[in-house]
Amino acid sequence: MSTRSASLVSIIAEIEDLEGNGSVTLGEVVRLIGQVSFAPLLIMPAIALVSPLSGIPLFSTIMGVIIFLVSIQMLFRRDHLWLPSWLLHLTARRSRVRSAFEKLHPLVAWLDKRTHKRLTALTHRPLIFIPQTACVLSGMCLPLLEVVPFSSSMVGLAVALMGIGIFVRDGVVLMIAMVPYAMIAVLVTRLI
């Protein structure tokens, strides 16, 4: 896969088509999409948080760790991704992963058709630090938000939009990604 010729739909389709036994490891997914760029590796756990997979206990915490590690490495402009081996060996039932991503296919296809290079100044340094830092903070907060209903899905949506904006170089999407953050702030404030 090349950097931008790979669409979000094609990346998700590749994940759904992973061959093997009844389970899939995070390492397999990283190897599959790791050559594209860091952004899809940020988008995938964020999308998973919006999917039915988020109902699994501690799932949000694990996705938060992945989001944190990927986004901090993006922020520091690393050439290749490093994840600890315990994360790379995490497994999920292949059928569950396929089903979750199939449900998101229409939304991702819709986004693919409507995103393109706009307000690109927001997707380059120094302004790109803002969404990258927001993703780092999101990853750090996800374990704490595990107890606030729907908050992890809202953070997942925000991070997914940030990742899409970075991947496509669409500054409009980066600005739209701020809406879920505002909603989370309102939700947390009301609970306090």
Side-chain angles (χ1 to χ4, degrees):
M1 270 187 221
S2 66
T3 12
R4 179 53 188 133
S5 61
S7 67
L8 296 171
V9 170
S10 66
I11 292 168
I12 287 179
E14 295 241 1
I15 292 170
E16 291 170 356
D17 293 341
L18 273 171
E19 295 177 5
N21 58 18
S23 63
V24 60
T25 67
L26 179 61
E28 290 175 88
V29 175
V30 169
R31 278 190 295 280
L32 177 71
I33 62 174
Q35 293 77 28
V36 180
S37 73
F38 278 51
L41 294 170
L42 181 63
I43 296 166
M44 291 307 130
I47 286 176
L49 283 168
V50 182
S51 79
L53 291 172
S54 63
I56 300 170
L58 296 177
F59 184 79
S60 297
T61 298
I62 293 167
M63 294 302 105
V65 169
I66 296 168
I67 288 168
F68 171 78
L69 289 172
V70 172
S71 56
I72 196 119
Q73 291 176 69
M74 283 176 75
L75 187 63
F76 288 108
R77 302 177 79 178
R78 283 187 48 101
D79 291 335
H80 62 280
L81 180 72
W82 172 86
L83 290 175
S85 60
W86 68 268
L87 266 179
L88 294 172
H89 289 97
L90 288 176
T91 60
R93 282 199 325 265
R94 194 172 302 273
S95 59
R96 192 171 204 172
V97 170
R98 183 175 292 124
S99 168
F101 281 100
E102 280 173 357
K103 288 176 181 158
L104 293 169
H105 234 115
L107 172 63
V108 173
W110 184 86
L111 283 169
D112 249 356
K113 289 178 187 170
R114 284 159 183 80
T115 55
H116 56 281
K117 290 184 179 182
R118 295 179 283 194
L119 296 176
T120 56
L122 298 176
T123 66
H124 297 288
R125 294 184 181 271
L127 296 177
I128 193 65
F129 286 125
I130 297 168
Q132 289 174 339
T133 303
C135 291
V136 169
L137 295 173
S138 297
M140 291 171 64
C141 291
L142 273 164
L144 304 172
L145 293 174
E146 189 111 33
V147 295
V148 181
F150 306 112
S151 61
S152 61
S153 292
M154 294 297 279
V155 171
L157 176 62
V159 172
L161 289 170
M162 291 283 190
I164 290 165
I166 293 167
F167 182 58
V168 181
R169 305 242 183 267
D170 192 334
V172 172
V173 175
L174 290 177
M175 290 192 306
I176 292 169
M178 299 313 289
V179 173
Y181 284 120
M183 294 170 72
I184 294 163
V186 169
L187 183 65
V188 170
T189 306
R190 286 189 178 175
L191 287 172
I192 294 174

